[in-house]
Each structure stands twice: as structure tokens, then as C-alpha cells.
Amino acid sequence: MLQDAPEHKETREYLENRIEQRHTGKFDGAIYLMQSYERTGDFEKAAEILQGQVPETERQGDKKALFTLLVRIADLQEQKLAAPDLAFMTLCRALRVEPNDPQLRERLNRLGAQSDVVDDLCELYEEQALAAEVSGKHALAAELRESAGAALAGDGNAPERAVQIYEAVLEKQPGRLVPLEALSALYPRIGRHADHEKVLRRRLMFKDDALERVPILVELARCLVGPLERPDEALPILEETRRLDPGNTGARRLLIELMEQRANLAALRDLLDEEIAACKESKDEE
């Protein structure tokens, strides 16, 4: 009946009474009732029907079904009810069910920032990370702490705390690339330029592919030319960059800056001619 007439009052009342009498929201009729509420735009009622199924699903111990149910509730809360705070709390329950879901953690980070509860989220990540370590899941523990670092880094007001988390991850697992990449962006923000150089050189140790090395080399050269004021050390790095990627704009412009400082007019003229030609080519392509 509800499929053809989703607002049918008597059918809705009958199914609601069934739910109340059974003391569980989990039976076939609940699905039709929830769908009828969705079709008529009563998303709060639809969410209530789904929430009523949570205790029974938990009792049955079906973690996959419970996770799917919680995510579906959060979808309604965030997208239909415009309640990101409620969605955040629901997804925190989902994280406890399945912490090994990168998309869930990204969504939690976004909602945590939106609801101004990043500190609470980081506590939850640490709680789950400790539980993962006890179970011998050290890679998962690192991922959870990296998510906490990402939440703090995105918060904008806590880069130092994000740095501490990423550094702690690296102390336990030195080869993880996510913290190295994050620290490359965070160290300059807090004025730790010497550490910025170290982490860039460390990243290069893990990169053999030319396309992956080039942007790191340019960033390292920029660090040496700028805040560290060691331009002589930047030259061989820029030469390697140009060997790997002859047309790299960042490397060429840094070299132009260096040649101007050294008053090396011949090299400067060649680089400027190259820059003009590249600009013309780019304009023609547009």
C-alpha cells in the first residue's frame, strides 16, 4: 500500500504500532515505513525508523550491517536534516564499529571542523588507535593518528599539535609517507625551516620516479634559497631538477632569481629567453 500511496495514514499507523509492540525497529514493514517517510519528505521520521533498528542490529553482532545502517542515518542527518552535529555523532559510532575506513575518517574530519569538535574527534582517534595497537594492528593505529593530524592541520589553529602527532607516528614507523608529506606543509607554517629541509630530503630517499622527485626538489631548492639563505646548495638541486624536467617553470624561475643575485648576465639572458619562449608557447596554447 505504501509503495503506491506513501501517505496512507492507516498503513503508517499500523506499521508504527507493530514497531512499538515488537520493541524493535527491525522487521520488513519498517523498511516500507521508512521509505514512505523519505518519499513524502519527512526525513526526521525516516531517521527515527532507522535509529530504531540500531539496537537489534548491534545485538545480532553484524558489524557490516550496523556500519551501513549508521552511515545511512548520518546521510539523512547531514544531507536532508541539515544537522551536521548529529551526523558527526552518528559517524563517531560508525568509527567504533569500523575504524579502518579512510572515507569515513575524511568525512569525520570535515564534520568535526564544521561542528567545532576537532578536539573530541582527536580523542576518539587516539582511543581507537590504542585499541588497534593492543590488537597488533600497528598500521591502522598509525592511520588513525594521521587522521587526527589531518584534522588538526585543517583546523588552522593547531598546526603545532598536528606536527606533534605526525612526528610521534614517524618515531614508531619511520617509513610512513603520509606524515612526511604533511610535515612538508606544516613545518614552514610554524617557522621550522631546518626541519622542513630535513623532511624534504627524507622524502627524496623514498622517491625514484623522476616525476615524483621534481616537485620535492623544487620545494627543497626554494627552502634553501629563501628562509635558510643557502643559495649555493640550491644550484645542484636545481640542475638535477632541470635534468629530470627541462621545462620546469619553478626551477627555471628560481634559477633566474639566483643568476640575478650573482649578476651572471650570460646565464640570466639564456634563462630569460627560455622564460619568454615558454610564456609565448603557453599563450599560443590558450
Side-chain angles (χ1 to χ4, degrees), residues 43-101:
F43 298 110
E44 188 170 353
K45 278 282 191 180
E48 287 178 8
I49 297 297
L50 290 175
Q51 286 169 330
Q53 298 178 33
V54 170
E56 179 68 13
T57 308
E58 283 182 322
R59 189 189 66 77
Q60 292 177 351
D62 188 341
K63 287 190 173 184
K64 184 176 180 181
L66 178 59
F67 179 81
T68 302
L69 179 59
L70 290 169
V71 170
R72 192 172 182 186
I73 294 168
D75 288 343
L76 285 174
Q77 291 169 329
E78 181 184 5
Q79 299 165 15
K80 301 300 184 182
L81 298 176
D85 52 339
L86 294 179
F88 173 80
M89 289 188 288
T90 301
L91 291 177
C92 284
R93 293 183 69 181
L95 184 75
R96 290 188 172 95
V97 175
E98 178 49 87
N100 194 15
D101 188 311

Side-chain angles (χ1 to χ4, degrees), residues 182-198:
L183 289 170
S184 296
L186 287 166
Y187 280 145
R189 285 173 55 184
I190 60 176
R192 289 176 57 177
H193 301 294
D195 288 321
H196 185 209
E197 176 194 1
K198 290 176 184 176

Side-chain angles (χ1 to χ4, degrees), residues 193-250:
H193 301 294
D195 288 321
H196 185 209
E197 176 194 1
K198 290 176 184 176
V199 81
L200 289 172
R201 292 187 184 278
R202 193 167 167 184
R203 284 176 64 192
L204 286 169
M205 294 170 59
F206 296 97
K207 303 293 185 182
D208 296 321
D209 183 78
L211 292 177
E212 292 182 335
R213 289 180 65 83
V214 164
I216 304 173
L217 289 167
V218 172
E219 189 176 349
L220 176 57
R222 190 173 289 116
C223 177
L224 291 167
V225 170
L228 293 180
E229 298 180 348
R230 286 154 44 202
D232 289 348
E233 295 180 38
L235 278 174
I237 292 170
L238 291 171
E239 288 171 1
E240 180 184 353
T241 305
R242 301 257 293 169
R243 179 178 58 79
L244 295 174
D245 182 8
N248 187 274
T249 302

Side-chain angles (χ1 to χ4, degrees), residues 128-199:
Q128 293 300 306
L130 290 172
E133 283 182 331
V134 170
S135 302
K137 300 175 182 177
H138 299 291
L140 175 58
E143 289 176 13
L144 287 161
R145 291 185 173 117
E146 287 163 0
S147 292
L152 290 167
D155 188 34
N157 298 319
E160 291 88 355
R161 289 175 60 199
V163 165
Q164 290 174 355
I165 288 175
Y166 285 126
E167 288 177 339
V169 171
L170 286 174
E171 283 180 13
K172 293 183 177 182
Q173 300 185 46
R176 291 193 66 84
L177 295 180
V178 169
L180 292 174
E181 292 171 357
L183 289 170
S184 296
L186 287 166
Y187 280 145
R189 285 173 55 184
I190 60 176
R192 289 176 57 177
H193 301 294
D195 288 321
H196 185 209
E197 176 194 1
K198 290 176 184 176
V199 81

Side-chain angles (χ1 to χ4, degrees), residues 23 77 158 220 257 272:
H23 302 291
Q77 291 169 329
L220 176 57
E257 182 181 335
L272 288 172

